[in-house]
Amino acid sequence: MGKESSAAVFLPRLRLHDGKLIKDRRYHLRTYPNCFVAKELTDWLIDHKEAPDRETGIRLMQKLMDHYIIHHVCDEHSDYKDAKLLYRFRKDDGTFPLNKDVKVFVRGQSLYEKLVGAEGSILKVREENSVKYQRTFLGCEMVDWLVQEGEAESRKEAVELGQALLEHGIIQHVSNRHHFFDGDLLYQFWINFRRRRRLTELLNENSSRTLSESPDSPFCLRKLNPDPGNTSFLSVQPNKEIKIVSAVRRSSITSLAGNSNPYFSVTPTLVFPPVAECNPKSVLKRPVTNEELLSPGAPYVKKTLTIVGDAVGWGFVVRGGRPCHIQAVDPGGPAAAAGMKVCQFVFSVNGMYVLHLDYQTISSLIMTGPRTLVMEVMEAVE
């Protein structure tokens, strides 16, 4: 569930508490605290225009169940039934899974509300390169404020908090070119926590995805044979047997989209056909965090690669997330010729800082960008 959509969940829960829809209820001589009746909640969604009809309301609540936001009070039903059954928000009974992502999101929301309500807030409308940005602040101002307000014990801790907020998509550099630093760089809150969100956003959050959930990205695999009718691509992984997967040529996707330019500049909306699973296991010997990559004295060197794509792509596969890594490289392709290797970490794409992004987003940036691809990668020092 995305960050913006998570915000759509927290606010309706509070409204349900205020409206007394969530309350202690008795059933079969037992009291169930802080719960609601499914049928009443579906009515509420329609009455408050959170859902246009009962079918949509049921789909919305099922999505909340799928994401462990709500559950049946006795966990006897794994699906949401529009009936006189009792359900509860997991935040109301302590079973909500507070993983790192959720904790950072909640912390970011708390800091935002505190900043917005502060007299003389550091959040301001500022202009950079003739572009106005909302909810902006300087990195050094945020560090000062976090220390002064007791949100961080030291400037180092404040920087680490700022970096966590950026890596989770809550704040960002205004032009998305830098990580969070204690300096004069301009940042903004990417999420406006006070924007009223409708629950129907949950049903649409995945509609903008342009890439398949397949383990392989067809656009960055290369054609095995030069025969025009052959649509097989080669994916290469060290010390593994080569596997062939069926894929669509990037140029054929373009022609279907009605764009004569083989390196189209608009985001495609077509769904790729299913392909055989290839390279399911990461080539990394162990997980590596952004903190490890960026720590002073870390055994990594940054390299800039300029890759000119050919008619079938650039010849590499990106995998992972926060940070993403190079999973496979075609030894005869443009990427290999530019010096790309497996296990390198993707630092930036065409000038955009991407350490905090997942591989689907990075793949989309590459796919919708220019033919000449400029990437900064971080490589382990042998």
Side-chain angles (χ1 to χ4, degrees):
M1 182 174 293
K3 301 295 188 302
E4 291 274 352
S5 298
S6 297
V9 174
F10 292 117
L11 294 181
R13 169 179 160 267
L14 299 178
R15 290 165 61 200
L16 292 172
H17 272 285
D18 292 340
K20 305 301 181 184
L21 211 65
I22 294 178
K23 60 185 179 181
D24 297 350
R25 299 173 186 268
R26 286 186 63 81
Y27 182 71
H28 286 180
L29 303 179
R30 179 178 173 182
T31 299
Y32 296 89
N34 294 323
C35 59
F36 59 86
V37 178
K39 189 176 184 302
E40 292 179 4
L41 183 55
T42 308
D43 293 337
W44 184 92
L45 291 172
I46 296 171
D47 292 343
H48 289 76
K49 302 189 186 306
E50 290 287 354
D53 49 52
R54 302 196 78 81
E55 180 185 355
T56 304
I58 294 168
R59 287 171 57 211
L60 284 169
M61 300 314 292
Q62 183 60 52
K63 185 134 189 178
L64 296 190
M65 289 196 73
D66 294 341
H67 286 278
Y68 301 98
I69 304 295
I70 65 172
H71 68 125
H72 181 257
V73 291
C74 297
D75 290 321
E76 293 177 352
H77 301 279
S78 60
D79 53 351
Y80 180 81
K81 298 183 181 297
D82 185 23
K84 291 184 178 181
L85 294 175
L86 299 180
Y87 292 82
R88 182 188 291 128
F89 278 84
R90 290 186 178 274
K91 285 201 72 175
D92 287 329
D93 63 11
T95 62
F96 186 69
L98 282 174
N99 57 28
K100 182 180 178 182
D101 287 349
V102 174
K103 288 179 180 178
V104 173
F105 176 84
V106 173
R107 184 76 185 279
Q109 184 177 25
S110 172
L111 292 174
Y112 180 83
E113 293 294 344
K114 192 172 180 179
L115 280 164
V116 169
E119 185 176 348
S121 174
I122 62 173
L123 297 186
K124 298 175 182 176
V125 177
R126 291 180 172 91
E127 185 174 311
E128 185 170 288
N129 297 327
S130 301
V131 178
K132 286 187 176 181
Y133 298 95
Q134 304 288 328
R135 306 180 297 278
T136 69
F137 55 89
L138 298 177
C140 57
E141 289 180 339
M142 177 61 80
V143 171
D144 290 340
W145 183 84
L146 289 171
V147 174
Q148 290 169 6
E149 294 296 318
E151 296 288 348
E153 293 185 0
S154 64
R155 299 190 75 84
K156 180 176 181 294
E157 184 178 311
V159 170
E160 291 172 351
L161 175 55
Q163 290 178 345
L165 293 175
L166 187 143
E167 289 166 9
H168 285 76
I170 295 169
I171 66 172
Q172 69 169 23
H173 179 255
V174 291
S175 58
N176 216 1
R177 292 178 180 271
H178 300 282
H179 208 308
F180 181 81
F181 295 106
D182 183 4
D184 292 333
L185 293 174
L186 190 60
Y187 300 88
Q188 67 177 156
F189 271 87
W190 182 239
I191 297 178
N192 180 2
F193 290 99
R194 291 196 168 184
R195 180 176 72 83
R196 168 92 182 271
R197 294 168 177 81
R198 296 204 174 276
L199 284 171
T200 47
E201 293 181 26
L202 299 177
L203 298 179
N204 301 324
E205 67 174 0
N206 293 326
S207 63
S208 61
R209 276 209 169 163
T210 60
L211 297 175
S212 166
E213 292 299 327
S214 156
D216 293 283
S217 301
F219 80 91
C220 59
L221 300 177
R222 290 180 52 75
K223 196 177 179 190
L224 179 60
N225 296 317
D227 300 336
N230 189 331
T231 56
S232 294
F233 288 76
L234 174 66
S235 178
V236 180
Q237 180 178 347
N239 304 321
K240 299 285 182 182
E241 65 178 57
I242 294 175
K243 301 179 182 179
I244 306 301
V245 294
S246 176
V248 179
R249 288 189 63 180
R250 188 168 186 241
S251 55
S252 66
I253 296 171
T254 307
S255 61
L256 287 170
N259 188 335
S260 60
N261 184 351
Y263 298 93
F264 49 86
S265 58
V266 295
T267 302
T269 57
L270 300 175
V271 177
F272 290 105
V275 299
E277 184 169 320
C278 177
N279 297 341
K281 187 176 180 180
S282 172
V283 295
L284 299 179
K285 294 181 179 178
R286 63 177 182 82
V288 176
T289 65
N290 283 330
E291 290 80 4
E292 184 176 347
L293 283 177
L294 298 172
S295 62
Y300 296 94
V301 60
K302 188 189 297 183
K303 296 183 176 181
T304 301
L305 309 178
T306 301
I307 309 167
V308 181
D310 59 19
V312 291
W314 295 271
F316 66 95
V317 177
V318 179
R319 282 294 172 269
R322 302 175 182 171
C324 289
H325 63 273
I326 304 302
Q327 174 75 4
V329 180
D330 179 356
M340 180 172 285
K341 303 175 185 177
V342 295
C343 298
Q344 291 173 331
F345 295 95
V346 185
F347 184 88
S348 72
V349 173
N350 294 327
M352 179 178 290
Y353 174 83
V354 297
L355 276 183
H356 60 295
L357 301 179
D358 58 27
Y359 79 86
Q360 292 99 334
T361 305
I362 290 179
S363 296
S364 180
L365 288 173
I366 295 171
M367 190 174 182
T368 58
R371 176 177 180 176
T372 299
L373 174 64
V374 180
M375 292 180 63
E376 288 183 298
V377 296
M378 300 189 73
E379 181 180 317
V381 177
E382 297 295 337

